[in-house]
Amino acid sequence: KAGVTQTPRYLIKTRGQQVTLSCSPISGHRSVSWYQQTPGQGLQFLFEYFSETQRNKGNFPGRFSGRQFSNSRSEMNVSTLELGDSALYLCASSLEVSNSGANVLTFGAGSRLTVL
Amino acid sequence: AQKVTQAQTEISVVEKEDVTLDCVYETRDTTYYLFWYKQPPSGELVFLIRRNSFDEQNEISGRYSWNFQKSTSSFNFTITASQVVDSAVYFCALSERDSSYKLIFGSGTRLLVRP
């Protein structure tokens, strides 16, 4: 059973550019969430999608956006990149057995973004 | 407000030593879930255990064991007879009843097991 796949694994951008990251969840998983990991702020929740709808968003500026397609694949976009956006972006999928806090998230290996 | 504290930034042990990673959490919810994840150098977070707030029974899985104490809001993780392959960053996390997909992570504890 394939795990959560994230592409690209590594990328370098310059300030002001935009970037799109992709995530393919485990087959059958309908919930996809995104996290940002930095040395200073640690792991922080970005947003979560279920059945193409964003259900919740973390405390990030509007430059961070995402979407989910009908096949549950998800993309996140960061526009007008800043140096502080350099991070490991992790995608996680969940089977969504119940909306009760009990769901286990399965993470991908992440996309490491460097902004110069 | 929810918060997870992992006070130990880095721990270094010699192989075969036992090591305990501490986790203290804060939440106002009566129904919540606690998790431990392992992050090896490859980057992905690997799920280790989930515990709900109504189940304070300790759990053992091979060399791993977890001690959940609501009275002290702690969910500590012990590795017995550590091995070099246990070297990784370990994260404790909390989710609440109405936000199953939103994990509040601690800052992580980097464990180095030396041969």
Side-chain angles (χ1 to χ4, degrees), chain A residues 26 28-32 48-51 68 72 94-96:
Chain A
I26 290 174
H29 285 196
R30 296 166 63 191
S31 170
V32 174
E48 187 260 355
Y49 288 87
F50 181 81
S51 292
Q68 186 181 34
S72 293
S94 171
L95 187 58
E96 187 74 8

Side-chain angles (χ1 to χ4, degrees), chain A residues 74-96:
Chain A
S74 177
E75 290 181 347
M76 67 162 284
N77 182 276
V78 187
S79 62
T80 319
L81 284 167
E82 301 177 359
L83 295 180
D85 297 333
S86 295
L88 179 66
Y89 290 89
L90 292 163
C91 169
S93 72
S94 171
L95 187 58
E96 187 74 8

Side-chain angles (χ1 to χ4, degrees), chain B residues 59-106:
Chain B
E59 180 152 341
I60 299 175
S61 176
R63 298 183 297 106
Y64 296 171
S65 63
W66 291 268
N67 180 258
F68 175 31
Q69 290 193 335
K70 287 179 73 173
S71 61
T72 56
S73 297
S74 64
F75 186 42
N76 297 336
F77 173 31
T78 297
I79 302 175
T80 302
S82 60
Q83 300 177 0
V84 173
V85 293
D86 295 327
S87 297
V89 181
Y90 291 85
F91 291 94
C92 181
L94 163 75
S95 73
E96 295 177 333
R97 178 183 51 192
D98 296 327
S99 56
S100 60
Y101 41 81
K102 180 181 178 181
L103 294 177
I104 306 299
F105 283 92

Side-chain angles (χ1 to χ4, degrees), chain A residues 9 31 33 35 37 43 45 48 55-56 88 90 96 98-109, chain B residues 31 33 35 37 39 42-47 50 91 95-106:
Chain A
R9 289 294 313 279
S31 170
S33 51
Y35 288 79
Q37 184 176 23
L43 280 154
F45 171 76
E48 187 260 355
R55 293 197 293 191
N56 206 346
L88 179 66
L90 292 163
E96 187 74 8
S98 65
N99 188 20
S100 65
N103 298 302
V104 172
L105 302 185
T106 302
F107 286 82
Chain B
T31 302
Y33 300 83
F35 301 79
Y37 279 86
Q39 187 175 41
S42 54
E44 80 276 18
L45 290 165
V46 177
F47 167 75
R50 173 190 61 207
F91 291 94
S95 73
E96 295 177 333
R97 178 183 51 192
D98 296 327
S99 56
S100 60
Y101 41 81
K102 180 181 178 181
L103 294 177
I104 306 299
F105 283 92

